[in-house]
Amino acid sequence: MPGHASPARSERSAPAPAWRSHGRTRRSTRTVRVAVSAAVTGAVVLAVLLVPPLVQLDQQAVDLSLKLRPPSWDHPFGTDDLGRDLLLRCVYGLRVSLLVGLVAALVATVIGTAVGAAAAAFGGWTDRLVMRLVDTFSSVPHLLLGIFVVAMFRPGVWPVIVSVALTHWLSTARIVRSEVLSLRSRPYVDAAISGGASRWRVTVRHLLPAVLPQAGLAAVLMVPHAMWHESALSFLGLGLPAHQASLGNLVQTARGSLLAGDWWPTLFPGLFLIIPTLAVAGLAGASRERINPRRRSELML
């Protein structure tokens, strides 16, 4: 009838449902997160590299007349209980903590990569023995094992690095082992073995290069973890000497000031520890999505 549309025509003229995609919003959010993380990381690197040589001040200089001054133009972060500039002390403390984190993460990654690749490449009883040792060490808390290692040496930077490195290679070994086990079934590995290549040559030429991106990502993620571990040891009085500026020492010496109502000696070293950790975690998350595109596509759904 005129004026009445048939059901078929009305169905054809009905607009198709619009599927809303949040992919662009998530991509823009991820881009902003990566940009902010990269900017913060770059600022941290520039601060620890440029501030000590450019600022000709002694971060150990004591001036009791400036004891526990609140933040001001002359001292943006205030002063500590000995009248030392807290901003300069935080930069030096971040420099030491970052050095410990980087070196310890590098050593732990090398150890974990070598152990995980050897266990997966040789297989059999070697793999079972190595992984049982890894499980045994993993059953002991990292901090407790680190305290045991540090207690055997005098307080200093290198005992802390050794302690952190020897307690943080276990996760890297598991990651590398699982990756190598998945790569052993690839056709090019079978072809190399069929061609007469030794197990050592296959591991060095084919397996290790394939797991280096995962090992590098594990090293990046380990840096803030190592910084926190060093800060915990220094806070307990077992890490760096008390006179040497580190973020853990700064927080440890500020406990009395915090109870007296002076908040800045505790707040700013804590921020110097938390903010770089979040920045590195943001960059590591972006790197993980780039290394594993399938994971990124799943996150975009």
Side-chain angles (χ1 to χ4, degrees), residues 179-212:
E179 290 293 327
V180 172
L181 287 176
S182 65
L183 291 171
R184 284 176 56 182
S185 59
R186 299 293 177 87
Y188 66 89
V189 175
D190 293 336
I193 295 175
S194 301
S198 63
R199 189 172 297 181
W200 171 257
R201 182 178 178 84
V202 170
T203 302
V204 174
R205 291 291 302 272
H206 300 288
L207 299 181
L208 279 180
V211 301
L212 285 182

PDB file of all heavy atoms in Angstrom, residues 179-212:
ATOM      1  N   GLU A 179      61.907 -19.933  25.962  1.00  0.00           N
ATOM      2  CA  GLU A 179      62.040 -19.479  24.580  1.00  0.00           C
ATOM      3  C   GLU A 179      62.892 -20.448  23.752  1.00  0.00           C
ATOM      4  O   GLU A 179      62.563 -20.757  22.601  1.00  0.00           O
ATOM      5  CB  GLU A 179      62.662 -18.082  24.553  1.00  0.00           C
ATOM      6  CG  GLU A 179      61.756 -16.986  25.069  1.00  0.00           C
ATOM      7  CD  GLU A 179      60.569 -16.754  24.161  1.00  0.00           C
ATOM      8  OE1 GLU A 179      60.713 -16.913  22.943  1.00  0.00           O
ATOM      9  OE2 GLU A 179      59.484 -16.428  24.680  1.00  0.00           O
ATOM     10  N   VAL A 180      63.987 -20.938  24.326  1.00  0.00           N
ATOM     11  CA  VAL A 180      64.846 -21.868  23.600  1.00  0.00           C
ATOM     12  C   VAL A 180      64.127 -23.180  23.345  1.00  0.00           C
ATOM     13  O   VAL A 180      64.251 -23.786  22.263  1.00  0.00           O
ATOM     14  CB  VAL A 180      66.157 -22.092  24.376  1.00  0.00           C
ATOM     15  CG1 VAL A 180      66.986 -23.202  23.740  1.00  0.00           C
ATOM     16  CG2 VAL A 180      66.978 -20.804  24.411  1.00  0.00           C
ATOM     17  N   LEU A 181      63.344 -23.651  24.318  1.00  0.00           N
ATOM     18  CA  LEU A 181      62.587 -24.890  24.106  1.00  0.00           C
ATOM     19  C   LEU A 181      61.585 -24.748  22.971  1.00  0.00           C
ATOM     20  O   LEU A 181      61.368 -25.681  22.190  1.00  0.00           O
ATOM     21  CB  LEU A 181      61.865 -25.285  25.398  1.00  0.00           C
ATOM     22  CG  LEU A 181      62.737 -25.835  26.531  1.00  0.00           C
ATOM     23  CD1 LEU A 181      61.901 -26.093  27.766  1.00  0.00           C
ATOM     24  CD2 LEU A 181      63.460 -27.100  26.089  1.00  0.00           C
ATOM     25  N   SER A 182      60.969 -23.576  22.847  1.00  0.00           N
ATOM     26  CA  SER A 182      60.038 -23.362  21.736  1.00  0.00           C
ATOM     27  C   SER A 182      60.757 -23.235  20.402  1.00  0.00           C
ATOM     28  O   SER A 182      60.212 -23.605  19.360  1.00  0.00           O
ATOM     29  CB  SER A 182      59.194 -22.107  21.998  1.00  0.00           C
ATOM     30  OG  SER A 182      60.002 -20.942  22.009  1.00  0.00           O
ATOM     31  N   LEU A 183      61.993 -22.737  20.424  1.00  0.00           N
ATOM     32  CA  LEU A 183      62.747 -22.579  19.178  1.00  0.00           C
ATOM     33  C   LEU A 183      63.364 -23.883  18.695  1.00  0.00           C
ATOM     34  O   LEU A 183      63.679 -24.021  17.512  1.00  0.00           O
ATOM     35  CB  LEU A 183      63.851 -21.530  19.370  1.00  0.00           C
ATOM     36  CG  LEU A 183      63.405 -20.078  19.557  1.00  0.00           C
ATOM     37  CD1 LEU A 183      64.584 -19.206  19.952  1.00  0.00           C
ATOM     38  CD2 LEU A 183      62.752 -19.547  18.287  1.00  0.00           C
ATOM     39  N   ARG A 184      63.569 -24.824  19.591  1.00  0.00           N
ATOM     40  CA  ARG A 184      64.211 -26.087  19.188  1.00  0.00           C
ATOM     41  C   ARG A 184      63.379 -26.873  18.184  1.00  0.00           C
ATOM     42  O   ARG A 184      63.923 -27.690  17.432  1.00  0.00           O
ATOM     43  CB  ARG A 184      64.458 -26.943  20.429  1.00  0.00           C
ATOM     44  CG  ARG A 184      65.635 -26.484  21.268  1.00  0.00           C
ATOM     45  CD  ARG A 184      65.768 -27.309  22.529  1.00  0.00           C
ATOM     46  NE  ARG A 184      65.884 -28.728  22.233  1.00  0.00           N
ATOM     47  CZ  ARG A 184      65.965 -29.674  23.165  1.00  0.00           C
ATOM     48  NH1 ARG A 184      65.938 -29.340  24.445  1.00  0.00           N
ATOM     49  NH2 ARG A 184      66.072 -30.937  22.822  1.00  0.00           N
ATOM     50  N   SER A 185      62.066 -26.630  18.152  1.00  0.00           N
ATOM     51  CA  SER A 185      61.211 -27.353  17.215  1.00  0.00           C
ATOM     52  C   SER A 185      61.024 -26.628  15.884  1.00  0.00           C
ATOM     53  O   SER A 185      60.241 -27.077  15.051  1.00  0.00           O
ATOM     54  CB  SER A 185      59.836 -27.591  17.855  1.00  0.00           C
ATOM     55  OG  SER A 185      59.223 -26.357  18.209  1.00  0.00           O
ATOM     56  N   ARG A 186      61.728 -25.516  15.686  1.00  0.00           N
ATOM     57  CA  ARG A 186      61.589 -24.780  14.426  1.00  0.00           C
ATOM     58  C   ARG A 186      62.276 -25.529  13.281  1.00  0.00           C
ATOM     59  O   ARG A 186      63.277 -26.227  13.499  1.00  0.00           O
ATOM     60  CB  ARG A 186      62.189 -23.380  14.570  1.00  0.00           C
ATOM     61  CG  ARG A 186      61.518 -22.530  15.639  1.00  0.00           C
ATOM     62  CD  ARG A 186      60.098 -22.181  15.263  1.00  0.00           C
ATOM     63  NE  ARG A 186      59.414 -21.429  16.292  1.00  0.00           N
ATOM     64  CZ  ARG A 186      59.467 -20.106  16.402  1.00  0.00           C
ATOM     65  NH1 ARG A 186      60.186 -19.395  15.536  1.00  0.00           N
ATOM     66  NH2 ARG A 186      58.795 -19.486  17.357  1.00  0.00           N
ATOM     67  N   PRO A 187      61.782 -25.381  12.052  1.00  0.00           N
ATOM     68  CA  PRO A 187      62.375 -26.111  10.916  1.00  0.00           C
ATOM     69  C   PRO A 187      63.841 -25.770  10.662  1.00  0.00           C
ATOM     70  O   PRO A 187      64.636 -26.661  10.302  1.00  0.00           O
ATOM     71  CB  PRO A 187      61.493 -25.695   9.742  1.00  0.00           C
ATOM     72  CG  PRO A 187      60.190 -25.300  10.359  1.00  0.00           C
ATOM     73  CD  PRO A 187      60.544 -24.687  11.674  1.00  0.00           C
ATOM     74  N   TYR A 188      64.232 -24.497  10.829  1.00  0.00           N
ATOM     75  CA  TYR A 188      65.623 -24.169  10.515  1.00  0.00           C
ATOM     76  C   TYR A 188      66.580 -24.776  11.542  1.00  0.00           C
ATOM     77  O   TYR A 188      67.739 -25.068  11.213  1.00  0.00           O
ATOM     78  CB  TYR A 188      65.804 -22.648  10.432  1.00  0.00           C
ATOM     79  CG  TYR A 188      65.606 -21.899  11.740  1.00  0.00           C
ATOM     80  CD1 TYR A 188      66.672 -21.681  12.608  1.00  0.00           C
ATOM     81  CD2 TYR A 188      64.362 -21.384  12.082  1.00  0.00           C
ATOM     82  CE1 TYR A 188      66.507 -20.986  13.783  1.00  0.00           C
ATOM     83  CE2 TYR A 188      64.179 -20.696  13.253  1.00  0.00           C
ATOM     84  CZ  TYR A 188      65.254 -20.490  14.106  1.00  0.00           C
ATOM     85  OH  TYR A 188      65.067 -19.789  15.277  1.00  0.00           O
ATOM     86  N   VAL A 189      66.120 -24.995  12.783  1.00  0.00           N
ATOM     87  CA  VAL A 189      66.959 -25.668  13.766  1.00  0.00           C
ATOM     88  C   VAL A 189      67.107 -27.143  13.400  1.00  0.00           C
ATOM     89  O   VAL A 189      68.210 -27.711  13.456  1.00  0.00           O
ATOM     90  CB  VAL A 189      66.380 -25.502  15.182  1.00  0.00           C
ATOM     91  CG1 VAL A 189      67.199 -26.302  16.196  1.00  0.00           C
ATOM     92  CG2 VAL A 189      66.354 -24.029  15.569  1.00  0.00           C
ATOM     93  N   ASP A 190      66.005 -27.766  12.994  1.00  0.00           N
ATOM     94  CA  ASP A 190      66.090 -29.163  12.545  1.00  0.00           C
ATOM     95  C   ASP A 190      66.997 -29.297  11.324  1.00  0.00           C
ATOM     96  O   ASP A 190      67.755 -30.272  11.200  1.00  0.00           O
ATOM     97  CB  ASP A 190      64.693 -29.685  12.213  1.00  0.00           C
ATOM     98  CG  ASP A 190      63.816 -29.785  13.447  1.00  0.00           C
ATOM     99  OD1 ASP A 190      64.375 -29.899  14.562  1.00  0.00           O
ATOM    100  OD2 ASP A 190      62.569 -29.733  13.307  1.00  0.00           O
ATOM    101  N   ALA A 191      66.924 -28.321  10.419  1.00  0.00           N
ATOM    102  CA  ALA A 191      67.783 -28.379   9.231  1.00  0.00           C
ATOM    103  C   ALA A 191      69.254 -28.244   9.598  1.00  0.00           C
ATOM    104  O   ALA A 191      70.120 -28.922   9.033  1.00  0.00           O
ATOM    105  CB  ALA A 191      67.380 -27.281   8.252  1.00  0.00           C
ATOM    106  N   ALA A 192      69.552 -27.359  10.578  1.00  0.00           N
ATOM    107  CA  ALA A 192      70.947 -27.199  10.994  1.00  0.00           C
ATOM    108  C   ALA A 192      71.477 -28.457  11.656  1.00  0.00           C
ATOM    109  O   ALA A 192      72.622 -28.872  11.412  1.00  0.00           O
ATOM    110  CB  ALA A 192      71.058 -26.005  11.949  1.00  0.00           C
ATOM    111  N   ILE A 193      70.641 -29.097  12.470  1.00  0.00           N
ATOM    112  CA  ILE A 193      71.067 -30.344  13.122  1.00  0.00           C
ATOM    113  C   ILE A 193      71.246 -31.452  12.086  1.00  0.00           C
ATOM    114  O   ILE A 193      72.207 -32.235  12.133  1.00  0.00           O
ATOM    115  CB  ILE A 193      70.054 -30.747  14.200  1.00  0.00           C
ATOM    116  CG1 ILE A 193      70.037 -29.692  15.321  1.00  0.00           C
ATOM    117  CG2 ILE A 193      70.384 -32.117  14.768  1.00  0.00           C
ATOM    118  CD1 ILE A 193      68.995 -29.934  16.378  1.00  0.00           C
ATOM    119  N   SER A 194      70.339 -31.509  11.129  1.00  0.00           N
ATOM    120  CA  SER A 194      70.455 -32.528  10.078  1.00  0.00           C
ATOM    121  C   SER A 194      71.682 -32.301   9.213  1.00  0.00           C
ATOM    122  O   SER A 194      72.249 -33.249   8.656  1.00  0.00           O
ATOM    123  CB  SER A 194      69.191 -32.527   9.205  1.00  0.00           C
ATOM    124  OG  SER A 194      68.038 -32.799   9.983  1.00  0.00           O
ATOM    125  N   GLY A 195      72.095 -31.048   9.074  1.00  0.00           N
ATOM    126  CA  GLY A 195      73.281 -30.746   8.285  1.00  0.00           C
ATOM    127  C   GLY A 195      74.584 -31.035   8.995  1.00  0.00           C
ATOM    128  O   GLY A 195      75.658 -30.778   8.437  1.00  0.00           O
ATOM    129  N   GLY A 196      74.518 -31.503  10.240  1.00  0.00           N
ATOM    130  CA  GLY A 196      75.739 -31.869  10.957  1.00  0.00           C
ATOM    131  C   GLY A 196      76.243 -30.824  11.922  1.00  0.00           C
ATOM    132  O   GLY A 196      77.340 -30.981  12.475  1.00  0.00           O
ATOM    133  N   ALA A 197      75.476 -29.759  12.168  1.00  0.00           N
ATOM    134  CA  ALA A 197      75.911 -28.725  13.106  1.00  0.00           C
ATOM    135  C   ALA A 197      75.883 -29.272  14.530  1.00  0.00           C
ATOM    136  O   ALA A 197      74.970 -29.995  14.916  1.00  0.00           O
ATOM    137  CB  ALA A 197      75.009 -27.497  12.995  1.00  0.00           C
ATOM    138  N   SER A 198      76.885 -28.915  15.304  1.00  0.00           N
ATOM    139  CA  SER A 198      76.946 -29.370  16.683  1.00  0.00           C
ATOM    140  C   SER A 198      75.929 -28.625  17.535  1.00  0.00           C
ATOM    141  O   SER A 198      75.386 -27.588  17.140  1.00  0.00           O
ATOM    142  CB  SER A 198      78.353 -29.152  17.249  1.00  0.00           C
ATOM    143  OG  SER A 198      78.658 -27.758  17.275  1.00  0.00           O
ATOM    144  N   ARG A 199      75.687 -29.171  18.722  1.00  0.00           N
ATOM    145  CA  ARG A 199      74.717 -28.547  19.618  1.00  0.00           C
ATOM    146  C   ARG A 199      75.191 -27.164  20.055  1.00  0.00           C
ATOM    147  O   ARG A 199      74.394 -26.238  20.184  1.00  0.00           O
ATOM    148  CB  ARG A 199      74.511 -29.461  20.826  1.00  0.00           C
ATOM    149  CG  ARG A 199      73.383 -29.038  21.733  1.00  0.00           C
ATOM    150  CD  ARG A 199      73.122 -30.094  22.786  1.00  0.00           C
ATOM    151  NE  ARG A 199      72.697 -31.341  22.196  1.00  0.00           N
ATOM    152  CZ  ARG A 199      72.391 -32.417  22.906  1.00  0.00           C
ATOM    153  NH1 ARG A 199      72.465 -32.375  24.234  1.00  0.00           N
ATOM    154  NH2 ARG A 199      72.008 -33.519  22.310  1.00  0.00           N
ATOM    155  N   TRP A 200      76.494 -27.014  20.260  1.00  0.00           N
ATOM    156  CA  TRP A 200      77.039 -25.718  20.641  1.00  0.00           C
ATOM    157  C   TRP A 200      76.863 -24.701  19.511  1.00  0.00           C
ATOM    158  O   TRP A 200      76.487 -23.551  19.750  1.00  0.00           O
ATOM    159  CB  TRP A 200      78.516 -25.876  20.991  1.00  0.00           C
ATOM    160  CG  TRP A 200      79.243 -24.588  21.193  1.00  0.00           C
ATOM    161  CD1 TRP A 200      80.098 -23.987  20.330  1.00  0.00           C
ATOM    162  CD2 TRP A 200      79.172 -23.734  22.344  1.00  0.00           C
ATOM    163  NE1 TRP A 200      80.565 -22.808  20.853  1.00  0.00           N
ATOM    164  CE2 TRP A 200      80.020 -22.633  22.105  1.00  0.00           C
ATOM    165  CE3 TRP A 200      78.487 -23.804  23.557  1.00  0.00           C
ATOM    166  CZ2 TRP A 200      80.203 -21.609  23.019  1.00  0.00           C
ATOM    167  CZ3 TRP A 200      78.662 -22.778  24.480  1.00  0.00           C
ATOM    168  CH2 TRP A 200      79.503 -21.701  24.208  1.00  0.00           C
ATOM    169  N   ARG A 201      77.125 -25.109  18.272  1.00  0.00           N
ATOM    170  CA  ARG A 201      76.987 -24.187  17.141  1.00  0.00           C
ATOM    171  C   ARG A 201      75.530 -23.784  16.940  1.00  0.00           C
ATOM    172  O   ARG A 201      75.228 -22.608  16.666  1.00  0.00           O
ATOM    173  CB  ARG A 201      77.533 -24.843  15.875  1.00  0.00           C
ATOM    174  CG  ARG A 201      77.469 -23.946  14.650  1.00  0.00           C
ATOM    175  CD  ARG A 201      78.072 -24.630  13.434  1.00  0.00           C
ATOM    176  NE  ARG A 201      77.982 -23.801  12.252  1.00  0.00           N
ATOM    177  CZ  ARG A 201      78.852 -22.844  11.943  1.00  0.00           C
ATOM    178  NH1 ARG A 201      79.889 -22.623  12.730  1.00  0.00           N
ATOM    179  NH2 ARG A 201      78.706 -22.125  10.844  1.00  0.00           N
ATOM    180  N   VAL A 202      74.607 -24.720  17.089  1.00  0.00           N
ATOM    181  CA  VAL A 202      73.188 -24.383  16.934  1.00  0.00           C
ATOM    182  C   VAL A 202      72.752 -23.397  18.013  1.00  0.00           C
ATOM    183  O   VAL A 202      72.007 -22.444  17.748  1.00  0.00           O
ATOM    184  CB  VAL A 202      72.341 -25.676  16.990  1.00  0.00           C
ATOM    185  CG1 VAL A 202      70.855 -25.340  17.076  1.00  0.00           C
ATOM    186  CG2 VAL A 202      72.622 -26.532  15.769  1.00  0.00           C
ATOM    187  N   THR A 203      73.252 -23.614  19.232  1.00  0.00           N
ATOM    188  CA  THR A 203      72.870 -22.712  20.322  1.00  0.00           C
ATOM    189  C   THR A 203      73.392 -21.308  20.091  1.00  0.00           C
ATOM    190  O   THR A 203      72.664 -20.319  20.255  1.00  0.00           O
ATOM    191  CB  THR A 203      73.405 -23.260  21.656  1.00  0.00           C
ATOM    192  OG1 THR A 203      72.884 -24.583  21.872  1.00  0.00           O
ATOM    193  CG2 THR A 203      72.996 -22.369  22.809  1.00  0.00           C
ATOM    194  N   VAL A 204      74.663 -21.203  19.678  1.00  0.00           N
ATOM    195  CA  VAL A 204      75.283 -19.879  19.525  1.00  0.00           C
ATOM    196  C   VAL A 204      74.789 -19.171  18.275  1.00  0.00           C
ATOM    197  O   VAL A 204      74.518 -17.960  18.292  1.00  0.00           O
ATOM    198  CB  VAL A 204      76.822 -20.025  19.509  1.00  0.00           C
ATOM    199  CG1 VAL A 204      77.485 -18.690  19.194  1.00  0.00           C
ATOM    200  CG2 VAL A 204      77.321 -20.553  20.844  1.00  0.00           C
ATOM    201  N   ARG A 205      74.630 -19.896  17.169  1.00  0.00           N
ATOM    202  CA  ARG A 205      74.300 -19.270  15.888  1.00  0.00           C
ATOM    203  C   ARG A 205      72.805 -19.049  15.694  1.00  0.00           C
ATOM    204  O   ARG A 205      72.400 -18.108  14.985  1.00  0.00           O
ATOM    205  CB  ARG A 205      74.849 -20.135  14.738  1.00  0.00           C
ATOM    206  CG  ARG A 205      76.358 -20.142  14.637  1.00  0.00           C
ATOM    207  CD  ARG A 205      76.881 -18.781  14.177  1.00  0.00           C
ATOM    208  NE  ARG A 205      76.318 -18.406  12.901  1.00  0.00           N
ATOM    209  CZ  ARG A 205      76.831 -18.741  11.728  1.00  0.00           C
ATOM    210  NH1 ARG A 205      77.927 -19.486  11.689  1.00  0.00           N
ATOM    211  NH2 ARG A 205      76.272 -18.333  10.610  1.00  0.00           N
ATOM    212  N   HIS A 206      71.962 -19.887  16.288  1.00  0.00           N
ATOM    213  CA  HIS A 206      70.537 -19.828  15.981  1.00  0.00           C
ATOM    214  C   HIS A 206      69.653 -19.534  17.204  1.00  0.00           C
ATOM    215  O   HIS A 206      68.687 -18.776  17.086  1.00  0.00           O
ATOM    216  CB  HIS A 206      70.084 -21.146  15.343  1.00  0.00           C
ATOM    217  CG  HIS A 206      70.793 -21.479  14.069  1.00  0.00           C
ATOM    218  ND1 HIS A 206      70.559 -20.808  12.890  1.00  0.00           N
ATOM    219  CD2 HIS A 206      71.760 -22.412  13.798  1.00  0.00           C
ATOM    220  CE1 HIS A 206      71.328 -21.307  11.931  1.00  0.00           C
ATOM    221  NE2 HIS A 206      72.066 -22.284  12.460  1.00  0.00           N
ATOM    222  N   LEU A 207      69.968 -20.129  18.322  1.00  0.00           N
ATOM    223  CA  LEU A 207      69.064 -20.010  19.468  1.00  0.00           C
ATOM    224  C   LEU A 207      69.303 -18.721  20.260  1.00  0.00           C
ATOM    225  O   LEU A 207      68.350 -17.998  20.572  1.00  0.00           O
ATOM    226  CB  LEU A 207      69.214 -21.232  20.387  1.00  0.00           C
ATOM    227  CG  LEU A 207      68.873 -22.579  19.747  1.00  0.00           C
ATOM    228  CD1 LEU A 207      69.044 -23.706  20.747  1.00  0.00           C
ATOM    229  CD2 LEU A 207      67.447 -22.567  19.199  1.00  0.00           C
ATOM    230  N   LEU A 208      70.555 -18.445  20.594  1.00  0.00           N
ATOM    231  CA  LEU A 208      70.838 -17.251  21.399  1.00  0.00           C
ATOM    232  C   LEU A 208      70.432 -15.946  20.710  1.00  0.00           C
ATOM    233  O   LEU A 208      69.825 -15.077  21.343  1.00  0.00           O
ATOM    234  CB  LEU A 208      72.316 -17.209  21.785  1.00  0.00           C
ATOM    235  CG  LEU A 208      72.730 -18.067  22.987  1.00  0.00           C
ATOM    236  CD1 LEU A 208      74.211 -17.919  23.254  1.00  0.00           C
ATOM    237  CD2 LEU A 208      71.927 -17.679  24.218  1.00  0.00           C
ATOM    238  N   PRO A 209      70.737 -15.739  19.416  1.00  0.00           N
ATOM    239  CA  PRO A 209      70.277 -14.488  18.790  1.00  0.00           C
ATOM    240  C   PRO A 209      68.764 -14.319  18.811  1.00  0.00           C
ATOM    241  O   PRO A 209      68.266 -13.196  18.862  1.00  0.00           O
ATOM    242  CB  PRO A 209      70.806 -14.603  17.352  1.00  0.00           C
ATOM    243  CG  PRO A 209      71.973 -15.515  17.452  1.00  0.00           C
ATOM    244  CD  PRO A 209      71.619 -16.512  18.505  1.00  0.00           C
ATOM    245  N   ALA A 210      68.032 -15.423  18.780  1.00  0.00           N
ATOM    246  CA  ALA A 210      66.575 -15.321  18.778  1.00  0.00           C
ATOM    247  C   ALA A 210      66.006 -14.936  20.132  1.00  0.00           C
ATOM    248  O   ALA A 210      64.907 -14.368  20.210  1.00  0.00           O
ATOM    249  CB  ALA A 210      65.961 -16.642  18.318  1.00  0.00           C
ATOM    250  N   VAL A 211      66.723 -15.234  21.221  1.00  0.00           N
ATOM    251  CA  VAL A 211      66.206 -14.929  22.558  1.00  0.00           C
ATOM    252  C   VAL A 211      66.786 -13.631  23.115  1.00  0.00           C
ATOM    253  O   VAL A 211      66.390 -13.209  24.211  1.00  0.00           O
ATOM    254  CB  VAL A 211      66.507 -16.080  23.538  1.00  0.00           C
ATOM    255  CG1 VAL A 211      65.876 -17.365  23.062  1.00  0.00           C
ATOM    256  CG2 VAL A 211      67.997 -16.262  23.750  1.00  0.00           C
ATOM    257  N   LEU A 212      67.696 -12.988  22.396  1.00  0.00           N
ATOM    258  CA  LEU A 212      68.282 -11.751  22.906  1.00  0.00           C
ATOM    259  C   LEU A 212      67.259 -10.640  23.136  1.00  0.00           C
ATOM    260  O   LEU A 212      67.368  -9.902  24.121  1.00  0.00           O
ATOM    261  CB  LEU A 212      69.384 -11.269  21.954  1.00  0.00           C
ATOM    262  CG  LEU A 212      70.705 -12.047  22.014  1.00  0.00           C
ATOM    263  CD1 LEU A 212      71.719 -11.446  21.060  1.00  0.00           C
ATOM    264  CD2 LEU A 212      71.247 -12.069  23.433  1.00  0.00           C
TER     265      LEU A 212
END
